[in-house]
């Protein structure tokens, strides 16, 4: 049964064992927006955009990384030293807020003539369709326009899992059914952990 398969996936992911857990850990997904899938955007990837929608910095946030104003973003690659230069989130926000359009294209490309990846620093986002908290369709550019700075967080979650069922009391449910609901909730909680971590660091939210 399809539901049985979902439950097996959820248990595998929640416990961190088996093929499902490995696939989800490695971001082996398909779906929409296709631009995200085609460009291999990973879960926990964060970009900071200025008022023109240009990516000024990027970060790969995992559930082990605590996010706050001192978190360091990748700013630019130093070709001479062969390493990335970093700047704190606090300083980046101050710079972008003060200047508005903060990104300044380097006079010389120092990436050894590597082809720039989509959604890399200095690039802009495709105008794909998103849904707001009410479920209404909005496009990416309409969100960015008019904002001095925009923090964009990518998370990949399994749409088969239910985040809320396992948080309910379980009254009237059979033991196995309720435990499967709990497994789905735990699996989903693990997938959104980077977002919870970020919210905790910025807004002080505990959950």
């Amino acid at each position: 049964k399809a539901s049985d398969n979902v439950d097996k996936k959820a248990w595998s992911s929640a416990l961190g064992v088996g093929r499902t857990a490995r696939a989800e850990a490695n971001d082996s997904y398909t779906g929409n927006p296709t631009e995200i899938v085609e460009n291999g955007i990973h879960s926990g990837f964060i970009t900071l955009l200025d008022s023109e929608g240009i990516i000024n910095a990027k970060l790969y946030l995992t559930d082990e990384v605590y996010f706050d104003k001192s978190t360091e973003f990748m700013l630019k690659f130093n070709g001479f030293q062969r390493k990335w230069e970093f700047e704190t989130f606090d300083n980046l926000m101050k710079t972008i807020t003060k200047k508005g359009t903060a990104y300044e294209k380097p006079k010389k490309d120092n990436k050894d003539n590597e082809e720039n990846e989509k959604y890399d620093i200095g690039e802009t986002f495709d105008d794909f369709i998103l849904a707001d908290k009410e479920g209404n369709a909005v496009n990416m550019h309409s969100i960015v326009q008019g904002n001095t700075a925009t923090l964009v967080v990518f998370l990949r979650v399994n749409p088969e899992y239910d985040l809320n069922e396992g948080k309910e009391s379980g009254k009237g449910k059979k033991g196995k059914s309720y435990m499967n609901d709990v497994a789905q909730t735990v699996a989903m909680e693990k997938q959104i952990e980077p977002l919870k971590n970020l919210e905790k660091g910025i807004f002080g939210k505990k959950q």
Side-chain angles (χ1 to χ4, degrees):
K1 296 180 181 180
S3 59
D4 291 341
N5 190 40
V6 172
D7 292 335
K8 290 179 181 179
K9 286 182 179 179
W11 278 106
S12 176
S13 182
L15 296 174
V17 297
R19 184 171 57 186
T20 300
R22 290 194 297 273
E24 291 181 348
N26 293 325
D27 298 319
S28 299
Y29 290 94
T30 60
N32 292 303
T34 55
E35 297 91 344
I36 306 303
V37 176
E38 290 171 356
N39 286 285
I41 303 299
H42 294 282
S43 191
F45 177 54
I46 300 177
T47 59
L48 183 61
L49 282 60
D50 62 23
S51 60
E52 295 296 321
I54 300 174
I55 300 173
N56 280 239
K58 61 184 180 180
L59 167 71
Y60 296 94
L61 184 68
T62 67
D63 55 0
E64 291 86 16
V65 177
Y66 180 77
F67 188 98
D68 60 17
K69 64 181 182 180
S70 63
T71 298
E72 293 189 326
F73 276 69
M74 302 165 70
L75 191 60
K76 61 182 179 179
F77 185 76
N78 189 316
F80 179 74
Q81 296 182 350
R82 303 297 302 165
K83 65 179 183 180
W84 279 91
E85 295 179 9
F86 295 84
E87 186 58 88
T88 65
F89 176 66
D90 188 39
N91 287 340
L92 282 168
M93 287 298 293
K94 289 178 180 177
T95 300
I96 294 176
T97 302
K98 183 178 180 180
K99 292 184 177 181
T101 303
Y103 180 76
E104 297 179 3
K105 189 174 181 178
K107 295 180 180 179
K108 184 178 180 181
D109 189 355
N110 58 6
K111 293 186 178 181
D112 291 341
N113 296 322
E114 292 180 5
E115 183 179 353
N116 287 342
E117 297 179 2
K118 200 74 172 177
Y119 306 131
D120 200 357
I121 295 169
E123 302 291 317
T124 56
F125 279 76
D126 290 330
D127 195 17
F128 49 78
I129 302 299
L130 303 171
D132 62 17
K133 61 182 180 181
E134 283 81 26
N136 301 315
V138 295
N139 59 60
M140 184 65 195
H141 287 183
S142 69
I143 296 175
V144 175
Q145 290 174 352
N147 290 323
T148 304
T150 305
L151 193 67
V152 180
V153 183
F154 293 90
L155 287 178
R156 291 183 175 179
V157 296
N158 191 325
E160 297 176 297
Y161 299 159
D162 191 308
L163 177 62
N164 298 313
E165 286 289 333
K167 296 180 180 181
E168 298 175 357
S169 67
K171 184 178 180 180
K173 295 182 179 180
K174 294 182 180 179
K176 182 178 180 180
S177 176
Y178 180 63
M179 291 304 295
N180 286 335
D181 289 342
V182 171
Q184 288 191 32
T185 297
V186 172
M188 180 69 82
E189 290 277 4
K190 291 177 65 176
Q191 292 180 342
I192 65 173
E193 190 67 28
L195 182 59
K196 293 167 61 181
N197 198 339
L198 186 148
E199 288 187 334
K200 181 179 179 181
I202 297 179
F203 304 109
K205 293 183 179 180
K206 296 182 179 180
Q207 294 184 4

